[in-house]
Amino acid sequence: MGQAGSAPVVVVTGASRGIGQAIAEDLAAHGYPLWLVARNEATLATVADRIRGQGGLAEVMVCDLTQASSIKSLAEELARRSVVVAGLVNNAGVNRRGPLTAVTPDDFDFIMNTNVKGLLFLTQALVPFMPSGGSVVNMASLNALTVLRGVGLYAMSKAAVVQLTRALAIDLAPQGIRVNAIAPGFIHTAFNAALWERVEMKEWVEDNTPLGRLGVPNDVVGAVRFLLGPDASFMTGEVLTIDGGFLPARLWPL
């Protein structure tokens, strides 16, 4: 085992670290052949080797979602190898902090080109490889549903992901393809570890989260697997929030 063969695959973007890596490893452990997509080949290869070492099936494809030519190359490789895509997990995303009053055109393009434009056009490119029963899972955010200070532009992008999810769900339903989203809350990953080293920040989240802790990537993976699988066959256009109760507690304080 090791290389994904002719069986239908799940494509996971942003699979080289954090939530994307956890999703990839969980899906592989449950028997899904994977195509792992990100910009950094070395880190992708590390994740793929780990999956293969545990008996899973994983291919690596470098793709920059901000570049139409890169998305086209990925689609051409799928076509060349006659790959059937059973599922697509649009996990890749970027962020820059700061108030909207200080956002530059470069900031706007940096976030929107990956979080919204890249997600849409990758999905568009991969839909021709998806049969009826296929499933798309988009990664939104708690910030799509309530705006937190300093991440207004990121919140805008993730709100767009929610509406994009609903619109795609309508457009793709006649083809038997479902489209849903997940909105994680505060998730501790190596990428954002420095943020949680600020004691006051970590304590604020814990105090305002009914379950009393930060999330971890493995808190998200089960929902992804559920949305990809047959148990969610009558769900489309939905957003699952995984935030330890933060959102309802924040909106309805005792």
Side-chain angles (χ1 to χ4, degrees), residues 183-234:
F186 298 99
I187 306 296
H188 192 304
T189 67
F191 180 67
N192 63 23
L195 182 64
W196 307 120
E197 289 173 0
R198 295 171 52 193
V199 175
E200 69 279 11
M201 181 68 177
K202 185 172 182 290
E203 289 181 346
W204 179 85
V205 171
E206 291 171 345
D207 289 344
N208 285 276
T209 300
L211 291 184
R213 66 173 176 86
L214 293 170
V216 296
N218 280 340
D219 289 322
V220 178
V221 299
V224 174
R225 190 166 12 96
F226 165 69
L227 290 174
L228 288 173
D231 288 343
S233 63
F234 200 53

Short mmCIF file of all heavy atoms in Angstrom, two decimals, residues 183-234:
data_model
loop_
_atom_site.label_atom_id
_atom_site.label_comp_id
_atom_site.label_asym_id
_atom_site.label_seq_id
_atom_site.Cartn_x
_atom_site.Cartn_y
_atom_site.Cartn_z
N ALA A 183 -17.70 25.08 10.64
CA ALA A 183 -17.23 26.34 11.22
C ALA A 183 -16.54 26.05 12.56
O ALA A 183 -17.20 26.02 13.60
CB ALA A 183 -18.39 27.31 11.41
N PRO A 184 -15.23 25.83 12.54
CA PRO A 184 -14.52 25.58 13.81
C PRO A 184 -14.42 26.85 14.65
O PRO A 184 -14.38 27.97 14.12
CB PRO A 184 -13.13 25.12 13.36
CG PRO A 184 -13.25 24.82 11.91
CD PRO A 184 -14.34 25.71 11.39
N GLY A 185 -14.37 26.64 15.95
CA GLY A 185 -14.10 27.75 16.86
C GLY A 185 -12.61 27.90 17.08
O GLY A 185 -11.81 27.82 16.14
N PHE A 186 -12.22 28.09 18.33
CA PHE A 186 -10.81 28.30 18.66
C PHE A 186 -10.09 26.94 18.73
O PHE A 186 -10.30 26.18 19.68
CB PHE A 186 -10.68 29.04 19.99
CG PHE A 186 -11.30 30.41 19.96
CD1 PHE A 186 -12.57 30.64 20.48
CD2 PHE A 186 -10.61 31.47 19.38
CE1 PHE A 186 -13.13 31.90 20.44
CE2 PHE A 186 -11.16 32.74 19.34
CZ PHE A 186 -12.43 32.96 19.86
N ILE A 187 -9.27 26.67 17.74
CA ILE A 187 -8.58 25.39 17.64
C ILE A 187 -7.08 25.61 17.82
O ILE A 187 -6.48 26.45 17.15
CB ILE A 187 -8.83 24.72 16.27
CG1 ILE A 187 -10.34 24.60 15.98
CG2 ILE A 187 -8.16 23.36 16.22
CD1 ILE A 187 -11.10 23.71 16.93
N HIS A 188 -6.48 24.87 18.73
CA HIS A 188 -5.05 24.98 19.01
C HIS A 188 -4.27 24.12 18.01
O HIS A 188 -4.42 22.91 17.98
CB HIS A 188 -4.77 24.50 20.42
CG HIS A 188 -3.38 24.83 20.92
ND1 HIS A 188 -2.24 24.45 20.26
CD2 HIS A 188 -2.97 25.52 22.01
CE1 HIS A 188 -1.19 24.86 20.91
NE2 HIS A 188 -1.59 25.53 21.98
N THR A 189 -3.47 24.78 17.19
CA THR A 189 -2.59 24.08 16.27
C THR A 189 -1.17 24.62 16.43
O THR A 189 -0.96 25.66 17.06
CB THR A 189 -3.02 24.28 14.80
OG1 THR A 189 -2.84 25.65 14.44
CG2 THR A 189 -4.48 23.88 14.60
N ALA A 190 -0.21 23.93 15.87
CA ALA A 190 1.18 24.41 15.93
C ALA A 190 1.31 25.76 15.26
O ALA A 190 2.10 26.61 15.68
CB ALA A 190 2.11 23.38 15.28
N PHE A 191 0.51 25.99 14.21
CA PHE A 191 0.59 27.23 13.45
C PHE A 191 0.21 28.44 14.30
O PHE A 191 0.79 29.52 14.16
CB PHE A 191 -0.32 27.13 12.23
CG PHE A 191 -0.33 28.36 11.37
CD1 PHE A 191 0.81 28.75 10.67
CD2 PHE A 191 -1.47 29.14 11.26
CE1 PHE A 191 0.81 29.88 9.88
CE2 PHE A 191 -1.48 30.28 10.47
CZ PHE A 191 -0.34 30.65 9.78
N ASN A 192 -0.78 28.29 15.18
CA ASN A 192 -1.22 29.43 15.99
C ASN A 192 -0.82 29.30 17.46
O ASN A 192 -1.39 29.98 18.32
CB ASN A 192 -2.73 29.64 15.87
CG ASN A 192 -3.55 28.46 16.40
OD1 ASN A 192 -3.07 27.67 17.21
ND2 ASN A 192 -4.79 28.34 15.94
N ALA A 193 0.17 28.46 17.74
CA ALA A 193 0.57 28.20 19.12
C ALA A 193 0.98 29.47 19.86
O ALA A 193 0.71 29.63 21.05
CB ALA A 193 1.71 27.19 19.16
N ALA A 194 1.63 30.39 19.13
CA ALA A 194 2.09 31.63 19.77
C ALA A 194 0.93 32.43 20.33
O ALA A 194 1.05 33.11 21.38
CB ALA A 194 2.89 32.47 18.77
N LEU A 195 -0.22 32.37 19.67
CA LEU A 195 -1.40 33.10 20.14
C LEU A 195 -1.83 32.59 21.51
O LEU A 195 -2.17 33.38 22.40
CB LEU A 195 -2.54 32.93 19.13
CG LEU A 195 -3.85 33.65 19.42
CD1 LEU A 195 -3.65 35.15 19.40
CD2 LEU A 195 -4.92 33.24 18.41
N TRP A 196 -1.79 31.28 21.68
CA TRP A 196 -2.27 30.70 22.94
C TRP A 196 -1.22 30.73 24.03
O TRP A 196 -1.51 30.39 25.18
CB TRP A 196 -2.78 29.28 22.68
CG TRP A 196 -3.77 29.25 21.57
CD1 TRP A 196 -3.67 28.56 20.40
CD2 TRP A 196 -4.99 29.98 21.49
NE1 TRP A 196 -4.75 28.81 19.60
CE2 TRP A 196 -5.57 29.68 20.24
CE3 TRP A 196 -5.64 30.88 22.35
CZ2 TRP A 196 -6.79 30.23 19.84
CZ3 TRP A 196 -6.85 31.42 21.93
CH2 TRP A 196 -7.41 31.11 20.70
N GLU A 197 0.00 31.15 23.69
CA GLU A 197 1.00 31.38 24.73
C GLU A 197 0.70 32.65 25.52
O GLU A 197 1.26 32.85 26.59
CB GLU A 197 2.40 31.46 24.10
CG GLU A 197 2.89 30.10 23.59
CD GLU A 197 4.19 30.21 22.83
OE1 GLU A 197 4.70 31.35 22.70
OE2 GLU A 197 4.70 29.16 22.37
N ARG A 198 -0.16 33.49 24.98
CA ARG A 198 -0.63 34.66 25.71
C ARG A 198 -1.66 34.20 26.73
O ARG A 198 -2.78 33.83 26.38
CB ARG A 198 -1.23 35.69 24.77
CG ARG A 198 -0.25 36.29 23.78
CD ARG A 198 -0.94 37.13 22.73
NE ARG A 198 -1.83 38.12 23.32
CZ ARG A 198 -2.74 38.81 22.62
NH1 ARG A 198 -2.87 38.59 21.32
NH2 ARG A 198 -3.51 39.70 23.22
N VAL A 199 -1.30 34.18 27.98
CA VAL A 199 -2.13 33.60 29.03
C VAL A 199 -3.50 34.25 29.06
O VAL A 199 -4.53 33.56 29.20
CB VAL A 199 -1.44 33.73 30.40
CG1 VAL A 199 -2.37 33.24 31.51
CG2 VAL A 199 -0.14 32.94 30.41
N GLU A 200 -3.55 35.58 28.90
CA GLU A 200 -4.84 36.26 28.99
C GLU A 200 -5.77 35.86 27.85
O GLU A 200 -6.99 35.76 28.03
CB GLU A 200 -4.64 37.78 29.01
CG GLU A 200 -4.14 38.41 27.70
CD GLU A 200 -2.64 38.31 27.50
OE1 GLU A 200 -1.97 37.58 28.25
OE2 GLU A 200 -2.14 38.98 26.57
N MET A 201 -5.20 35.59 26.68
CA MET A 201 -6.01 35.18 25.54
C MET A 201 -6.58 33.78 25.76
O MET A 201 -7.77 33.53 25.56
CB MET A 201 -5.17 35.21 24.26
CG MET A 201 -5.91 34.83 23.00
SD MET A 201 -7.16 36.05 22.56
CE MET A 201 -7.78 35.35 21.03
N LYS A 202 -5.72 32.87 26.17
CA LYS A 202 -6.15 31.50 26.42
C LYS A 202 -7.21 31.46 27.52
O LYS A 202 -8.22 30.76 27.39
CB LYS A 202 -4.95 30.64 26.80
CG LYS A 202 -5.25 29.14 26.97
CD LYS A 202 -3.96 28.37 27.14
CE LYS A 202 -4.22 26.87 27.26
NZ LYS A 202 -4.87 26.53 28.55
N GLU A 203 -7.01 32.21 28.58
CA GLU A 203 -7.97 32.21 29.68
C GLU A 203 -9.30 32.82 29.26
O GLU A 203 -10.36 32.35 29.67
CB GLU A 203 -7.39 32.97 30.88
CG GLU A 203 -6.26 32.22 31.57
CD GLU A 203 -5.72 32.97 32.77
OE1 GLU A 203 -6.03 34.18 32.90
OE2 GLU A 203 -4.99 32.35 33.57
N TRP A 204 -9.25 33.85 28.39
CA TRP A 204 -10.48 34.48 27.93
C TRP A 204 -11.31 33.47 27.14
O TRP A 204 -12.53 33.37 27.33
CB TRP A 204 -10.17 35.70 27.06
CG TRP A 204 -11.39 36.37 26.54
CD1 TRP A 204 -12.15 37.31 27.18
CD2 TRP A 204 -12.03 36.15 25.26
NE1 TRP A 204 -13.21 37.69 26.38
CE2 TRP A 204 -13.16 37.00 25.20
CE3 TRP A 204 -11.73 35.33 24.18
CZ2 TRP A 204 -14.00 37.04 24.09
CZ3 TRP A 204 -12.57 35.36 23.07
CH2 TRP A 204 -13.69 36.21 23.04
N VAL A 205 -10.66 32.72 26.24
CA VAL A 205 -11.38 31.72 25.45
C VAL A 205 -11.96 30.64 26.36
O VAL A 205 -13.13 30.27 26.22
CB VAL A 205 -10.46 31.10 24.39
CG1 VAL A 205 -11.15 29.91 23.71
CG2 VAL A 205 -10.08 32.14 23.34
N GLU A 206 -11.16 30.14 27.27
CA GLU A 206 -11.64 29.08 28.17
C GLU A 206 -12.80 29.57 29.03
O GLU A 206 -13.77 28.83 29.25
CB GLU A 206 -10.49 28.60 29.04
CG GLU A 206 -9.42 27.84 28.25
CD GLU A 206 -8.19 27.54 29.07
OE1 GLU A 206 -8.01 28.14 30.15
OE2 GLU A 206 -7.39 26.69 28.63
N ASP A 207 -12.72 30.82 29.49
CA ASP A 207 -13.79 31.37 30.33
C ASP A 207 -15.08 31.59 29.55
O ASP A 207 -16.18 31.58 30.13
CB ASP A 207 -13.35 32.71 30.95
CG ASP A 207 -12.28 32.53 32.02
OD1 ASP A 207 -12.10 31.39 32.48
OD2 ASP A 207 -11.63 33.53 32.37
N ASN A 208 -14.97 31.81 28.23
CA ASN A 208 -16.15 32.09 27.42
C ASN A 208 -16.62 30.88 26.61
O ASN A 208 -17.54 31.01 25.79
CB ASN A 208 -15.86 33.25 26.48
CG ASN A 208 -15.86 34.59 27.20
OD1 ASN A 208 -16.91 35.18 27.41
ND2 ASN A 208 -14.68 35.05 27.60
N THR A 209 -15.99 29.74 26.83
CA THR A 209 -16.39 28.51 26.15
C THR A 209 -17.00 27.56 27.17
O THR A 209 -16.31 27.14 28.11
CB THR A 209 -15.17 27.84 25.48
OG1 THR A 209 -14.61 28.74 24.52
CG2 THR A 209 -15.57 26.56 24.78
N PRO A 210 -18.28 27.23 27.06
CA PRO A 210 -18.91 26.37 28.05
C PRO A 210 -18.16 25.07 28.33
O PRO A 210 -18.15 24.60 29.47
CB PRO A 210 -20.29 26.11 27.45
CG PRO A 210 -20.59 27.35 26.69
CD PRO A 210 -19.27 27.75 26.08
N LEU A 211 -17.54 24.47 27.31
CA LEU A 211 -16.79 23.24 27.55
C LEU A 211 -15.43 23.49 28.18
O LEU A 211 -14.70 22.56 28.49
CB LEU A 211 -16.65 22.42 26.26
CG LEU A 211 -17.95 21.81 25.74
CD1 LEU A 211 -17.70 20.94 24.52
CD2 LEU A 211 -18.66 20.99 26.82
N GLY A 212 -15.05 24.76 28.32
CA GLY A 212 -13.92 25.13 29.16
C GLY A 212 -12.54 24.88 28.62
O GLY A 212 -11.57 24.82 29.38
N ARG A 213 -12.39 24.75 27.32
CA ARG A 213 -11.07 24.49 26.76
C ARG A 213 -10.99 24.94 25.31
O ARG A 213 -12.02 25.19 24.67
CB ARG A 213 -10.71 23.00 26.84
CG ARG A 213 -11.60 22.09 25.96
CD ARG A 213 -11.09 20.66 25.95
NE ARG A 213 -11.94 19.74 25.20
CZ ARG A 213 -11.87 19.53 23.89
NH1 ARG A 213 -10.99 20.21 23.15
NH2 ARG A 213 -12.67 18.66 23.29
N LEU A 214 -9.76 25.04 24.81
CA LEU A 214 -9.54 25.21 23.38
C LEU A 214 -9.84 23.90 22.66
O LEU A 214 -9.72 22.81 23.25
CB LEU A 214 -8.08 25.59 23.11
CG LEU A 214 -7.59 26.95 23.61
CD1 LEU A 214 -6.08 27.03 23.47
CD2 LEU A 214 -8.25 28.07 22.84
N GLY A 215 -10.23 24.01 21.41
CA GLY A 215 -10.36 22.81 20.60
C GLY A 215 -9.01 22.35 20.10
O GLY A 215 -8.02 23.08 20.16
N VAL A 216 -8.97 21.12 19.61
CA VAL A 216 -7.78 20.56 18.96
C VAL A 216 -8.22 20.03 17.59
O VAL A 216 -9.41 19.80 17.36
CB VAL A 216 -7.13 19.45 19.80
CG1 VAL A 216 -6.62 20.00 21.12
CG2 VAL A 216 -8.13 18.31 20.06
N PRO A 217 -7.28 19.86 16.66
CA PRO A 217 -7.67 19.41 15.32
C PRO A 217 -8.53 18.15 15.30
O PRO A 217 -9.46 18.03 14.49
CB PRO A 217 -6.32 19.18 14.63
CG PRO A 217 -5.43 20.22 15.25
CD PRO A 217 -5.84 20.24 16.70
N ASN A 218 -8.28 17.23 16.20
CA ASN A 218 -9.06 15.99 16.21
C ASN A 218 -10.53 16.21 16.61
O ASN A 218 -11.36 15.32 16.42
CB ASN A 218 -8.43 14.95 17.14
CG ASN A 218 -7.27 14.24 16.48
OD1 ASN A 218 -7.14 14.23 15.25
ND2 ASN A 218 -6.40 13.64 17.27
N ASP A 219 -10.85 17.40 17.15
CA ASP A 219 -12.25 17.71 17.43
C ASP A 219 -13.04 17.97 16.14
O ASP A 219 -14.28 17.98 16.16
CB ASP A 219 -12.35 18.95 18.33
CG ASP A 219 -11.89 18.69 19.76
OD1 ASP A 219 -12.17 17.58 20.27
OD2 ASP A 219 -11.25 19.57 20.35
N VAL A 220 -12.34 18.21 15.06
CA VAL A 220 -12.98 18.58 13.79
C VAL A 220 -13.12 17.38 12.85
O VAL A 220 -14.05 17.31 12.05
CB VAL A 220 -12.18 19.71 13.10
CG1 VAL A 220 -12.80 20.09 11.76
CG2 VAL A 220 -12.09 20.93 14.02
N VAL A 221 -12.21 16.42 12.97
CA VAL A 221 -12.11 15.39 11.93
C VAL A 221 -13.35 14.51 11.81
O VAL A 221 -13.73 14.08 10.71
CB VAL A 221 -10.86 14.52 12.14
CG1 VAL A 221 -9.59 15.36 12.06
CG2 VAL A 221 -10.92 13.77 13.47
N GLY A 222 -14.00 14.23 12.93
CA GLY A 222 -15.17 13.36 12.88
C GLY A 222 -16.31 13.98 12.07
O GLY A 222 -17.03 13.28 11.36
N ALA A 223 -16.46 15.30 12.19
CA ALA A 223 -17.51 15.98 11.43
C ALA A 223 -17.22 15.94 9.94
O ALA A 223 -18.14 15.79 9.12
CB ALA A 223 -17.63 17.42 11.91
N VAL A 224 -15.95 16.07 9.57
CA VAL A 224 -15.58 15.98 8.16
C VAL A 224 -15.93 14.60 7.63
O VAL A 224 -16.55 14.47 6.55
CB VAL A 224 -14.08 16.26 7.97
CG1 VAL A 224 -13.67 16.02 6.52
CG2 VAL A 224 -13.75 17.69 8.38
N ARG A 225 -15.55 13.57 8.36
CA ARG A 225 -15.82 12.20 7.93
C ARG A 225 -17.33 11.95 7.82
O ARG A 225 -17.79 11.29 6.89
CB ARG A 225 -15.16 11.22 8.90
CG ARG A 225 -15.15 9.81 8.44
CD ARG A 225 -14.22 8.90 9.23
NE ARG A 225 -13.69 9.46 10.44
CZ ARG A 225 -14.19 9.27 11.66
NH1 ARG A 225 -15.30 8.53 11.80
NH2 ARG A 225 -13.61 9.79 12.72
N PHE A 226 -18.08 12.49 8.76
CA PHE A 226 -19.54 12.35 8.72
C PHE A 226 -20.11 13.00 7.46
O PHE A 226 -20.93 12.39 6.74
CB PHE A 226 -20.15 13.01 9.96
CG PHE A 226 -21.63 13.24 9.88
CD1 PHE A 226 -22.53 12.19 9.89
CD2 PHE A 226 -22.13 14.54 9.78
CE1 PHE A 226 -23.90 12.40 9.81
CE2 PHE A 226 -23.50 14.77 9.70
CZ PHE A 226 -24.38 13.71 9.71
N LEU A 227 -19.68 14.22 7.14
CA LEU A 227 -20.22 14.92 5.98
C LEU A 227 -19.82 14.27 4.67
O LEU A 227 -20.54 14.36 3.68
CB LEU A 227 -19.79 16.39 6.01
CG LEU A 227 -20.42 17.25 7.10
CD1 LEU A 227 -19.81 18.64 7.10
CD2 LEU A 227 -21.94 17.33 6.94
N LEU A 228 -18.69 13.62 4.65
CA LEU A 228 -18.26 12.91 3.44
C LEU A 228 -19.02 11.60 3.25
O LEU A 228 -19.15 11.13 2.11
CB LEU A 228 -16.76 12.60 3.50
CG LEU A 228 -15.80 13.76 3.34
CD1 LEU A 228 -14.37 13.29 3.60
CD2 LEU A 228 -15.91 14.40 1.95
N GLY A 229 -19.51 11.03 4.32
CA GLY A 229 -20.04 9.67 4.28
C GLY A 229 -21.54 9.57 4.07
O GLY A 229 -22.26 10.57 3.99
N PRO A 230 -22.04 8.34 4.00
CA PRO A 230 -23.45 8.08 3.68
C PRO A 230 -24.42 8.53 4.77
O PRO A 230 -25.59 8.76 4.48
CB PRO A 230 -23.49 6.56 3.49
CG PRO A 230 -22.33 6.04 4.28
CD PRO A 230 -21.27 7.08 4.16
N ASP A 231 -23.96 8.67 6.01
CA ASP A 231 -24.87 9.09 7.07
C ASP A 231 -25.35 10.52 6.88
O ASP A 231 -26.34 10.93 7.50
CB ASP A 231 -24.21 8.95 8.44
CG ASP A 231 -24.07 7.49 8.87
OD1 ASP A 231 -24.75 6.63 8.28
OD2 ASP A 231 -23.26 7.22 9.77
N ALA A 232 -24.64 11.29 6.04
CA ALA A 232 -25.04 12.67 5.76
C ALA A 232 -25.63 12.82 4.36
O ALA A 232 -25.64 13.90 3.78
CB ALA A 232 -23.83 13.60 5.91
N SER A 233 -26.17 11.73 3.84
CA SER A 233 -26.61 11.72 2.44
C SER A 233 -27.79 12.63 2.16
O SER A 233 -28.07 12.94 1.00
CB SER A 233 -26.96 10.28 2.00
OG SER A 233 -28.04 9.79 2.77
N PHE A 234 -28.50 13.09 3.21
CA PHE A 234 -29.63 14.00 3.00
C PHE A 234 -29.31 15.39 3.54
O PHE A 234 -30.21 16.18 3.80
CB PHE A 234 -30.90 13.44 3.65
CG PHE A 234 -32.18 14.04 3.10
CD1 PHE A 234 -32.44 14.04 1.74
CD2 PHE A 234 -33.13 14.58 3.95
CE1 PHE A 234 -33.61 14.59 1.24
CE2 PHE A 234 -34.31 15.13 3.46
CZ PHE A 234 -34.55 15.13 2.10
#
